[in-house]
Amino acid sequence: MVSRVIPVDNFDLVIFGGTGDLARRKILPGLFRRFRAGQMPEDARVIAAARSEHDDASYRSEIEAAIKEFGGAESKDRKGLKAFLERLHYVAVDARGDGGWQQLKDLMRDGVVRAFYFSVAPGLFGDLAERLHTHGIADRDSRLVVEKPFGRDLKSARALNATLADHFNEDQIYRIDHYLGKETVQNLMAVRFANVLFEPLWNSHYVDHIQITVAETVGVGGRGSYYDKSGAMRDMVQNHLMQLLCLIAMEPPNQFEADAVRDEKLKVIRALQPIDSHHIVRGQYEASEKTASYREDVENPKSTTESFIALRATIANWRWAGVPFYLRTGKRLKARSSEINVVFKDLGHSIFEGDEARHRNVLTIRLQPNEGIDLQVTIKEPGPGGMRLIDVPLDMTFAQALGDEADDVTDAYERLIMDVIRGNQTLFMRGDEVEAAWAWTDPLIEGWEARHDVPKVYDTGSSGPEDSLMLMHRDGRRWRDIKG
Ligand code: NAD
């Protein structure tokens, strides 16, 4: 399948933190792919601004190495890579001082989109925003991209929003949640809102429950000290899983436009009910023969931070009354797999005898691996032998159709960055959404902290603690298997 690439307007994209891990692994390899796809205009430029001393040449060779390491098969295009590297510039800038700012100002061009990507610790956002203004580099038309974590609770998220609001309007701020850049996530909206088939069934009359699983096989890796202060709730649920939940649960917006979509997502978050402690299960992974335990990984033998969480959420509105949303995410689980399952109700009456009556339709939206959507339908098993029923998937896999070997995260980043240049905020979180999400998660976190809750241990390579299975068994339901 040949995809149609529409070039974006000419731009100067400044990446603060352009020497950092995120820039080297995701942002620049992603931009290179857009360049190769012909989406970057002739003289669009990427200006890296960070603390280390570099000139253009030394920065380019650093990024050349990064793209070769992280850029997949496309980085073998030496000619293309050379042409892309010529778009890169470097300025040494001190976020907390005046060094480098005049040089940055001199580099910026008028008449092109100016975008500033804050790929630095959130503690520097205020300094950068202020200096961009005092030095006259950012104006009313500039765009600002910020990364998670967007606060660690409601109070800090509000403070961060207020800091940015001192210098930028909400319609200039693009809060990245790369889950929203995934092909399948956008397809979820197409499936829901561009087909007559699903929307009539998308409610408590026909849906029994919804499962959202984001399972990882990796541990906390080198992020131990950060992760131990955060945990799965803050690191994954408050942002990625809640965004997925919103897209599943929201009312149809009146048009596919940024604020119309975000208004509907916000209503879902505000309708989320508080959760009883017995509907939350927290876990920590144990050591295996080859890998360390969570507590060893974070070098904190008494840590009570969760590397796994499962919970049962409910949404108080007409559409979803009585429909549980089961969410779970964790590290060191049996497979790397992210999917959403919409499990439909049993038939009111079955004309088939016995076991056959228990077949259910399930719509599965796979984010990774093998991005795609499939619908489990029940048919007659082909051949003689009477009426036996089997479940088969109506498979809409499009991972192959997407082609090359970029990993799905890079893919999500590159789409979202192009949306920033286009000025399209639909797939970015608005400030009030982020705050509402914290307003829902804060009391849950405070609740287990007040109870001195200790996470249940679970085996590396398992599906999480036993109690998380019980969370569904108690309701007469079960999780779909975590399959890689
Ligand atoms: P990093 O530590 O690898 O890089 C930090 C960058 O900030 C470097 O380029 C450094 O030069 C620059 N910097 C630090 N202090 C500075 C100062 N005073 N003035 C100018 N520049 C300064 O960090 P990272 O992993 O690239 O993460 C960047 C941001 O993205 C963080 O907020 C992080 O939480 C977030 N994030 C990272 C990832 C990831 O995969 N690395 C994923 C999601 C979110």
Side-chain angles (χ1 to χ4, degrees):
M1 186 178 68
V2 179
S3 61
R4 201 159 51 94
V5 174
I6 303 165
V8 295
D9 288 340
N10 200 1
F11 62 84
D12 278 350
L13 169 66
V14 180
I15 307 175
F16 290 102
T19 55
D21 179 67
L22 184 66
R24 294 174 61 257
R25 280 192 309 122
K26 303 292 170 209
I27 305 174
L28 285 148
L31 283 165
F32 172 55
R33 284 163 45 83
R34 289 296 92 205
F35 173 79
R36 282 204 71 227
Q39 201 166 31
M40 269 172 72
E42 273 291 282
D43 56 347
R45 297 183 317 177
V46 178
I47 301 165
R51 224 169 13 178
S52 352
E53 286 305 327
H54 271 298
D55 54 22
D56 287 355
S58 65
Y59 182 68
R60 286 172 186 172
S61 66
E62 189 174 312
I63 296 308
E64 181 178 5
I67 290 178
K68 283 180 183 163
E69 188 175 352
F70 304 113
E74 301 215 4
S75 58
K76 296 201 175 74
D77 169 14
R78 295 294 142 92
K79 209 168 138 215
L81 184 53
K82 187 167 174 286
F84 173 73
L85 293 170
E86 280 162 18
R87 310 297 181 84
L88 306 188
H89 302 268
Y90 187 84
V91 193
V93 161
D94 181 5
R96 297 220 154 109
D98 288 321
W101 289 95
Q102 187 58 43
Q103 209 189 332
L104 178 60
K105 183 177 178 168
D106 294 342
L107 255 184
M108 305 293 294
R109 296 170 297 173
D110 291 327
V112 300
V113 173
R114 286 186 182 194
F116 302 97
Y117 198 132
F118 285 7
S119 182
V120 296
L124 294 177
F125 288 3
D127 297 288
L128 291 176
E130 191 180 327
R131 283 185 169 75
L132 281 172
H133 272 85
T134 50
H135 291 274
I137 301 171
D139 61 20
R140 180 64 191 88
D141 296 322
S142 306
R143 285 154 210 175
L144 174 64
V145 187
V146 292
E147 267 297 333
K148 84 166 202 191
F150 204 82
R152 55 171 281 109
D153 52 20
L154 178 58
K155 190 165 165 240
S156 53
R158 274 192 180 140
L160 215 46
N161 275 335
T163 302
L164 297 180
D166 281 343
H167 302 285
F168 293 91
N169 294 332
E170 185 59 40
D171 64 6
Q172 297 179 273
I173 304 172
Y174 293 74
R175 293 176 192 78
I176 285 225
D177 184 327
H178 70 266
Y179 270 58
L180 296 182
K182 287 176 187 276
E183 181 74 15
T184 324
V185 172
Q186 296 174 50
N187 227 315
L188 167 60
M189 285 190 275
V191 165
R192 274 197 69 188
F193 302 131
N195 291 287
V196 75
L197 285 181
F198 298 105
E199 199 50 30
L201 306 180
W202 212 260
N203 57 54
S204 61
H205 297 298
Y206 295 100
V207 175
D208 178 74
H209 72 278
I210 287 169
Q211 303 185 12
I212 303 178
T213 295
V214 176
E216 298 177 288
T217 49
V218 293
V220 294
R223 295 168 71 218
S225 63
Y226 160 76
Y227 192 94
D228 202 38
K229 291 190 212 80
S230 167
M233 185 67 154
R234 288 189 171 97
D235 192 50
M236 297 295 291
V237 177
Q238 186 273 345
N239 37 61
H240 307 317
L241 275 79
M242 280 183 75
Q243 288 294 320
L244 299 180
L245 179 148
C246 284
L247 296 179
I248 289 279
M250 72 183 186
E251 295 299 312
N254 76 323
Q255 53 181 325
F256 191 59
E257 182 272 331
D259 276 332
V261 170
R262 297 186 302 177
D263 286 347
E264 296 307 335
K265 281 162 55 195
L266 179 62
K267 283 186 212 161
V268 172
I269 302 174
R270 289 194 173 146
L272 279 167
Q273 294 298 286
I275 304 182
D276 287 342
S277 57
H278 66 283
H279 285 140
I280 304 178
V281 177
R282 298 165 66 240
Q284 262 180 6
Y285 56 80
E286 284 273 51
S288 70
E289 265 173 34
K290 292 191 188 136
T291 56
S293 70
Y294 174 80
R295 288 179 174 187
E296 287 160 351
D297 273 348
V298 299
E299 295 173 8
N300 179 0
K302 293 198 172 137
S303 172
T304 57
T305 304
E306 76 285 356
S307 60
F308 172 98
I309 188 162
L311 55 85
R312 177 193 198 272
T314 49
I315 299 173
N317 64 21
W318 276 33
R319 185 186 286 266
W320 297 116
V323 180
F325 285 69
Y326 298 95
L327 275 50
R328 74 178 158 169
T329 181
K331 295 192 176 292
R332 288 258 187 260
L333 297 178
K334 63 192 278 197
R336 178 171 180 258
S337 159
S338 299
E339 64 177 40
I340 304 169
N341 289 288
V342 180
V343 182
F344 290 91
K345 286 191 170 165
D346 289 331
L347 292 168
H349 168 75
S350 174
I351 63 169
F352 303 105
E353 293 284 309
D355 274 349
E356 312 293 8
R358 282 197 263 115
H359 291 266
R360 278 182 164 184
N361 296 123
V362 180
L363 182 73
T364 301
I365 298 126
R366 282 189 314 274
L367 280 70
Q368 69 191 20
N370 209 12
E371 281 198 79
I373 297 179
D374 74 51
L375 178 63
Q376 181 178 294
V377 290
T378 305
I379 59 166
K380 176 188 169 297
E381 195 175 331
M387 182 58 99
R388 290 190 313 273
L389 302 183
I390 53 164
D391 292 332
V392 293
L394 274 181
D395 196 343
M396 297 170 259
T397 300
F398 38 80
Q400 295 94 332
L402 289 174
D404 51 45
E405 297 166 21
D407 72 274
D408 51 345
V409 181
T410 308
D411 196 55
Y413 269 101
E414 63 190 68
R415 277 160 214 271
L416 292 172
I417 295 170
M418 288 300 119
D419 274 359
V420 173
I421 307 297
R422 287 190 197 97
N424 183 349
Q425 289 185 302
T426 312
L427 299 174
F428 297 84
M429 292 178 295
R430 208 168 54 192
D432 52 2
E433 259 184 89
V434 176
E435 289 183 17
W438 282 120
W440 182 69
T441 47
D442 270 6
L444 309 180
I445 296 170
E446 283 159 14
W448 72 60
E449 282 175 355
R451 290 194 303 277
H452 303 291
D453 183 73
V454 178
K456 307 280 185 298
V457 291
Y458 61 94
D459 289 339
T460 285
S462 71
S463 301
E466 277 294 310
D467 287 29
S468 69
L469 308 181
M470 285 308 297
L471 180 77
M472 289 196 75
H473 285 176
R474 275 203 306 264
D475 295 348
R477 301 183 174 103
R478 62 190 174 86
W479 292 103
R480 308 270 297 177
D481 196 19
I482 298 175
K483 286 192 290 244

